[in-house]
Every structure is written in structure tokens, then in C-alpha cells.
């Protein structure tokens, strides 16, 4: 296993973060009204850093990833507001040409379902060379050579033969490696990996996640690792953002977050996943209740109806994501009545 987390490679002179997200909101139009899929998210990511983005199904992780990429923009189907800066470029102020250029070199995405990223009637080689030639301006021969090199980079044996195969001729793990190779084609500074391993069995999951860690070390890119499973980001993310109902409810260094969650939702999530080191037969608690309706979310804290610590004010006053009071530089949470920190000295 690659040794994540390590100190992110900060740009010299402490310059601006690679990714800046400011009060991002993505509303999707539905027959029932606008669904607030992302509802005021702000975060930053440094060059070379790994941010884990976790939360239950439907919490808005994929919509956030796609909006950050600039794949989701204001149009007939949705409204986007707020700001996304990648390496200083305002993603939503760029025109189509500018965005395509950004997708070439600035940011790559591994989509949740590898089959949607692959066209069943196109060979593996065509997927790779198209993306290389579109962004990289390579000749046909140079693109083919680079495609082979990319397959080798993501650990696909016999790359020359694989280039001539169709997606359905590959195993799930191999397909996901191809999708990663496509996202890496032009060596992005930021890779958004959306559930890169969900469809795969546990052994292949680990191989793919280890591969991402290795590529990150080699290429020096930042990664946003999206997963509904905290275990996937454990040991791989430098920091973790926990999303609930379109908002980030806790953001902290991974060690701190796993050791002593402050938001009751983080605590509940941690209690609901099997963890290494947990006694083998200890009970996993499912989180009771269901997430809110994002077309008409309730006032106050959105987790309050499911929260065992909730008091009257929680149902009325929405908590804001604020840094921990006592010099907690590395952590912020949005909660009126947070989980009490574990007393130092306990194990
Ligand atoms: N194209 C769409 N049209 C309507 N609603 C959508 C669309 N895409 C996403 N949503 C809704 O937006 C919310 C957030 O969806 P999103 O896919 O971002 O969740 P997620 O956190 O990625 O979940 P999962 O863990 O299942 O991938 C959900 O309520 C989802 O139903
Ligand atoms: Mg998703």
C-alpha cells in the first residue's frame, strides 16, 4: 500500500491553492421544483494533496465533482452559482474552448461508472488517442505510442494488444485502469476520482487505489477521492470532507477526523463502516432515518431529524461550517452541539 497521507507538495513561496471552491451551488431542475444538489460548498486543495470527499448516496458528491470540473454549468437543466478556480482559472467563466483546454491539462475526472466513460463501439486505443490528439496536438503515431505508454503506466499488460480491444473485452478492473489512463492522458494537476472502485471486488479495489497513490507520487497531481465508503479514503486522504445533503458538515485532517469526529453525522458514518482494527464481531450501527428531500429541505440543520444529539435550536437555526474554536486550524464543522472530543490519553 502506498504511504498516504504524506505532506502535500506545496507550491514554492506558499502561493494560492490549486483548487479554490467558493460558495458553490448547483440546483437541478426537476418536475417537483429545484433540487439543491450542492448547496453552498467552499473548500481548497493544494497541489499534490489528496482530499477525501465522503457521504451517503445522494449527498451531492458526484454533482459537486462534475460542477468543479465545469461539466455542469448553468443551462436549461440546472443553475450553478459560486466560483471554482483551478490553478487560478475561473472554470465557469471560461468559454467552451477554454474549458476543453482545462480538461486537457488542468483537471481530469474518473467517472463513477467506467462504462459511461467508454463508448462500447470504440476500441481502447481510439479512446486514448482521441483524448490525446484533441488536447495534446499529437500526430497519430505519437498519440499511439503515448497511448501504449499510458496503458503501461496504469499497469495493463500487453498494452499494444489491448489498444485494439473493445471495452467489453476487458475485465472491470482493466476497464477502470483504461478510464484512469484517459483521465491522466495529459497529466492533469488535479484528478477527480469519483468512486473509482465501487463496482470492483475488494482485491481489485485495493490495486486500483494503490495505483492512484503511486501515480500521484509519480506525477505530483492533487486528487479528490470521492467515496460513500470512509474506508476507501482512510490512509489515502490527507484531509477529508464529509458531505450531507449538499453541504460539507465536517472538514479535517484525516487522522483527526477518524480519531475524533466532532460532527454527529461523521460519528454515525464511522460507526456504520467496518474498520480495520475494530474487533471482528463489534456491532455496526446503521444510521436511522433518511436524508432530507433536497427540493424542499427543512430549516435548521439538515441532519437534525436523524441526530441523537439534536436539541431544539438545531431544528431552527442552520449551523455554519466554522473552524474549531480553540486554534483548530486543521478542522471545521457545522454543528451547534458537536460530539465531545475524546479525552487525550484514551486509546
Ligand atoms: N441529472 C439529475 N437529475 C435530477 N436529479 C439529479 C441528477 N443528478 C443528481 N441528482 C440528484 O442530486 C442529488 C445528488 O446526487 P449525486 O449523484 O451527486 O449523489 P452522490 O453523493 O454522488 O451519491 P452516490 O454515492 O450514490 O454516487 C441526489 O438527490 C440525486 O438524485
Ligand atoms: Mg456519486
Amino acid at each position: 500500500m502506498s504511504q498516504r497521507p504524506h505532506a502535500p507538495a506545496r507550491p514554492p513561496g506558499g502561493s494560492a491553492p490549486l483548487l479554490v471552491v467558493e460558495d458553490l451551488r448547483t440546483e437541478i431542475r426537476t418536475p417537483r421544483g429545484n433540487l439543491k444538489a450542492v448547496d453552498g460548498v467552499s473548500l481548497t486543495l493544494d497541489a499534490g494533496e489528496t482530499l477525501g470527499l465522503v457521504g451517503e448516496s445522494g449527498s451531492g458528491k458526484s454533482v459537486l465533482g462534475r460542477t468543479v470540473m465545469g461539466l455542469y454549468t448553468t443551462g436549461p437543466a440546472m443553475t450553478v452559482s459560486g466560483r471554482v478556480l483551478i490553478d487560478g482559472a475561473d472554470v465557469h467563466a471560461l468559454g467552451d474552448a477554454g474549458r476543453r483546454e482545462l480538461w486537457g491539462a488542468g483537471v481530469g475526472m474518473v467517472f463513477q461508472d467506467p462504462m459511461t466513460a467508454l463508448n462500447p463501439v470504440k476500441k481502447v486505443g481510439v479512446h486514448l488517442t482521441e483524448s490525446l490528439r484533441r488536447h495534446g496536438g499529437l500526430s497519430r503515431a505519437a498519440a499511439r505510442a503515448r497511448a501504449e505508454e499510458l496503458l503501461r503506466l496504469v499497469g495493463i499488460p500487453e498494452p499494444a494488444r489491448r489498444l485494439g480491444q473493445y471495452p467489453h473485452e476487458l475485465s472491470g478492473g482493466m476497464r477502470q485502469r483504461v478510464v484512469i489512463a484517459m483521465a491522466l492522458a495529459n497529466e492533469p494537476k488535479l484528478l477527480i476520482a469519483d468512486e473509482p472502485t465501487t463496482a470492483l471486488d475488494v482485491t481489485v479495489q485495493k490495486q486500483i487505489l494503490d495505483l492512484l497513490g503511486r501515480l500521484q507520487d509519480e506525477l505530483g497531481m492533487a486528487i479528490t477521492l470521492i467515496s460513500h465508503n470512509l474506508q476507501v479514503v482512510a490512509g489515502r486522504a490527507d484531509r477529508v470532507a464529509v458531505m450531507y445533503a449538499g453541504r460539507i458538515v465536517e472538514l479535517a485532517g484525516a487522522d483527526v477526523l477518524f480519531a475524533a469526529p466532532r460532527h454527529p453525522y461523521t460519528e454515525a458514518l464511522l460507526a456504520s463502516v467496518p474498520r480495520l482494527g475494530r474487533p471482528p464481531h463489534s456491532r455496526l450501527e446503521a444510521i436511522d432515518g433518511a436524508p432530507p428531500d433536497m427540493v424542499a429541505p427543512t430549516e435548521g440543520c439538515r441532519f437534525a431529524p436523524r441526530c441523537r444529539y439534536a436539541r431544539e435550536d438545531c431544528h431552527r437555526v442552520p449551523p455554519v461550517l466554522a473552524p474549531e474554536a480553540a486554534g483548530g486550524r486543521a478542522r471545521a464543522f457545522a454543528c451547534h452541539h458537536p460530539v465531545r472530543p475524546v479525552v487525550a490519553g484514551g486509546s
Side-chain angles (χ1 to χ4, degrees):
M1 180 169 151
S2 80
Q3 286 303 301
R4 308 292 304 166
H6 59 65
R10 280 179 186 277
S15 45
L18 176 66
L19 169 69
V20 178
V21 176
E22 285 172 358
D23 197 26
L24 197 64
R25 291 166 199 270
T26 310
E27 292 198 2
I28 301 174
R29 279 192 253 303
T30 76
R32 293 195 303 121
N34 283 2
L35 184 147
K36 298 171 175 57
V38 174
D39 197 25
V41 165
S42 301
L43 55 84
T44 62
L45 186 62
D46 285 330
E49 193 186 14
T50 301
L51 177 73
L53 181 63
V54 299
E56 281 172 300
S57 184
S59 54
K61 306 180 299 292
S62 294
V63 173
L64 175 59
R66 285 166 175 263
T67 311
V68 165
M69 272 290 280
L71 286 168
Y72 283 180
T73 52
T74 297
M78 62 186 76
T79 309
V80 173
S81 68
R83 225 159 57 122
V84 177
L85 303 177
I86 295 179
D87 217 10
D90 185 335
V91 174
H92 292 269
L94 293 170
D96 286 349
R99 244 191 314 272
R100 269 197 299 278
E101 199 168 302
L102 177 80
W103 295 335
V107 53
M109 185 154 180
V110 175
F111 293 95
Q112 188 158 357
D113 173 8
M115 279 318 266
T116 60
L118 297 171
N119 182 337
V121 301
K122 280 185 187 167
K123 291 179 180 170
V124 168
V126 176
H127 282 95
L128 286 164
T129 50
E130 271 183 354
S131 127
L132 283 164
R133 296 186 67 193
R134 188 163 48 232
H135 305 299
L138 296 180
S139 72
R140 188 184 286 258
R144 195 180 161 83
R146 172 83 178 127
E148 224 177 291
E149 192 185 319
L150 280 166
L151 289 188
R152 209 170 286 119
L153 183 72
V154 297
I156 294 188
E158 299 181 81
R161 186 169 73 85
R162 295 296 188 181
L163 288 177
Q165 290 189 315
Y166 290 96
H168 72 263
E169 296 179 78
L170 307 179
S171 68
M174 285 295 159
R175 279 202 289 264
Q176 195 59 307
R177 285 171 195 263
V178 170
V179 171
I180 291 171
M182 284 164 64
L184 296 180
N186 298 291
E187 304 197 354
K189 293 181 184 146
L190 169 64
L191 181 74
I192 300 177
D194 190 358
E195 306 271 9
T197 60
T198 322
L200 307 170
D201 69 57
V202 176
T203 320
V204 183
Q205 273 195 21
K206 183 173 175 332
Q207 288 169 1
I208 298 282
L209 291 169
D210 289 350
L211 168 72
L212 280 177
R214 217 164 45 240
L215 292 168
Q216 177 173 40
D217 291 341
E218 276 171 37
L219 307 174
M221 63 194 170
I223 296 184
T224 301
L225 182 58
I226 300 179
S227 181
H228 65 279
N229 184 350
L230 273 167
Q231 221 180 353
V232 163
V233 306
R236 301 178 193 276
D238 300 298
R239 286 184 302 146
V240 177
V242 179
M243 222 174 153
Y244 187 78
R247 293 180 174 163
I248 290 176
V249 296
E250 183 156 12
L251 178 57
D255 295 354
V256 175
L257 186 113
F258 282 104
R262 299 300 311 277
H263 198 287
Y265 178 62
T266 312
E267 184 190 55
L269 263 188
L270 282 168
S272 70
V273 291
R275 263 197 297 171
L276 293 172
R278 187 188 279 272
H281 299 294
S282 60
R283 227 175 125 248
L284 296 178
E285 297 171 39
I287 307 176
D288 284 339
D293 175 4
M294 297 303 289
V295 172
T298 47
E299 279 296 301
C301 172
R302 289 177 181 168
F303 187 58
R306 303 170 75 184
C307 180
R308 58 173 163 159
Y309 305 97
R311 297 185 210 163
E312 182 271 333
D313 54 344
C314 303
H315 298 277
R316 243 178 340 100
V317 186
V320 293
L321 186 70
E324 199 160 30
R329 179 189 57 84
R331 179 210 293 268
F333 52 84
C335 181
H336 298 309
H337 305 289
V339 180
R340 297 246 295 279
V342 181
V343 180
S347 63

